[in-house]
Amino acid sequence: MAATLAQALTGISGILVTPYDQPGDIAPRRLLPVIDRALGAGVHMPVVNGNTGEFYALTTDEACTMVREVVAMVGGRAPVLAGAGRGIRDAVRLAKVSAEAGAAALMVHQPPDPFVAPRGIVDYLKALEDASGGLPMMLYLRNDAIGTAAIASLCALPGVKGVKWATPNPQRLAEAKAACDPEIVWVGGLAEVWAPTFYAVGARGFTSGLINVWPERSMAIHAALEGGNYPEANALIAGMKVFEDIRAEEMAGTNVTGVKSALIAQGLDCGPTRPPSAWPLTKAQSERLNRFLSDNNLL
């Protein structure tokens, strides 16, 4: 699994949505056709309990159910990356359940607590590693204000195998990469639009919510970047930018709304989003989304 995991980390980490039924409860099986389509297109690593999966809107019980169900639906076709985070006891429980379910690695959300010490994050990561029985860990870094030295101290932990870099600061990414073990995998964590910029400073692979809706386009962008064809990658990204622009609106409060609205339009109803995410799209946003889907034969 180690070689397979290393290869998958440099591919596309496809962040799956969390489906809900009409009463608003999680409905994991609605995700099966989305998973099948993504894996059929070649997506390297499905991710459960990520931000496109509304991780912070789920209870810990729900997150545990989602990781069990997603690993079962993937059925060994690809390694599954499982998000873990929140308070230490919830995170430890989720790490343990993820390992028992058969996840290949943990994606550790950066603690959003207002009082976070870098050395406290070290203890946090050690606790998750112990709880999971030593699953490899990917750090999901959304705030680089902790500084390069702190990032290097986190990456020095034996269980940390990579970083999903989700801050629009390629210079800091380059600095952090240079300060850490060259075996650490640095993954672009701001999806397709930022992938060429991060590739240019040494990242490999990228996260994607687009894979829920149009995995073939994500795969084409990845192939272009792996081949060093930046003009092709940029042209492909320009062709899906409308979708990402919609998701970035309202302080990114329509991020998951755009994905779930597109799935509904495609006949793959995964339900609405939960507050504080925006739901539904405005009339103007819906019109732009429908034009995008129609123009690209995605309906």
Side-chain angles (χ1 to χ4, degrees), residues 152-287:
S153 71
L154 300 179
C155 290
L157 292 172
V160 174
K161 302 303 180 185
V163 179
K164 290 190 178 293
W165 189 272
T167 171
N169 191 341
Q171 183 176 356
R172 179 61 61 82
L173 167 57
E175 291 173 359
K177 186 175 184 296
C180 294
D181 187 322
E183 295 299 314
I184 296 289
V185 179
W186 299 83
V187 178
L190 290 176
E192 288 84 354
V193 172
W194 275 88
T197 301
F198 290 152
Y199 258 75
V201 294
R204 293 286 305 283
F206 53 84
T207 59
S208 174
L210 181 68
I211 61 95
N212 291 278
V213 176
W214 197 7
E216 297 82 4
R217 176 54 61 98
S218 299
M219 289 299 299
I221 293 168
H222 182 266
L225 289 171
E226 285 293 299
N229 191 341
Y230 283 79
E232 174 68 10
N234 286 328
L236 291 166
I237 290 167
M240 47 77 69
K241 190 172 179 296
V242 170
F243 183 66
E244 294 301 318
D245 286 347
I246 292 169
R247 296 178 66 199
E249 292 176 358
E250 300 184 55
M251 297 177 62
T254 52
N255 188 299
V256 187
T257 311
V259 177
K260 284 192 164 182
S261 297
L263 287 170
I264 290 172
Q266 292 180 327
L268 298 171
D269 188 353
C270 286
T273 62
R274 288 176 174 175
S277 172
W279 186 268
L281 292 177
T282 66
K283 181 180 178 182
Q285 290 166 340
S286 294
E287 289 173 349

Side-chain angles (χ1 to χ4, degrees), residues 18-119:
T18 295
Y20 305 126
D21 60 18
Q22 189 170 0
D25 297 319
I26 61 170
R29 299 302 295 181
R30 292 189 180 193
L31 200 52
L32 182 58
V34 178
I35 291 172
D36 287 346
R37 179 169 66 180
L39 293 179
V43 170
H44 309 87
M45 175 173 276
V47 182
V48 59
N49 293 329
N51 283 337
T52 303
E54 298 178 81
F55 176 66
Y56 286 99
L58 303 178
T59 67
T60 301
D61 285 343
E62 289 174 327
C64 288
T65 297
M66 285 304 302
V67 70
R68 292 188 189 104
E69 292 287 335
V70 166
V71 171
M73 285 186 281
V74 171
R77 290 176 286 173
V80 174
L81 187 59
R86 295 197 280 251
I88 185 63
R89 293 193 174 186
D90 286 332
V92 161
R93 180 185 168 206
L94 193 47
K96 184 174 185 294
V97 169
S98 298
E100 291 171 348
L106 297 176
M107 180 182 73
V108 183
H109 290 266
Q110 191 170 9
D113 191 290
F115 306 115
V116 177
R119 61 191 174 98

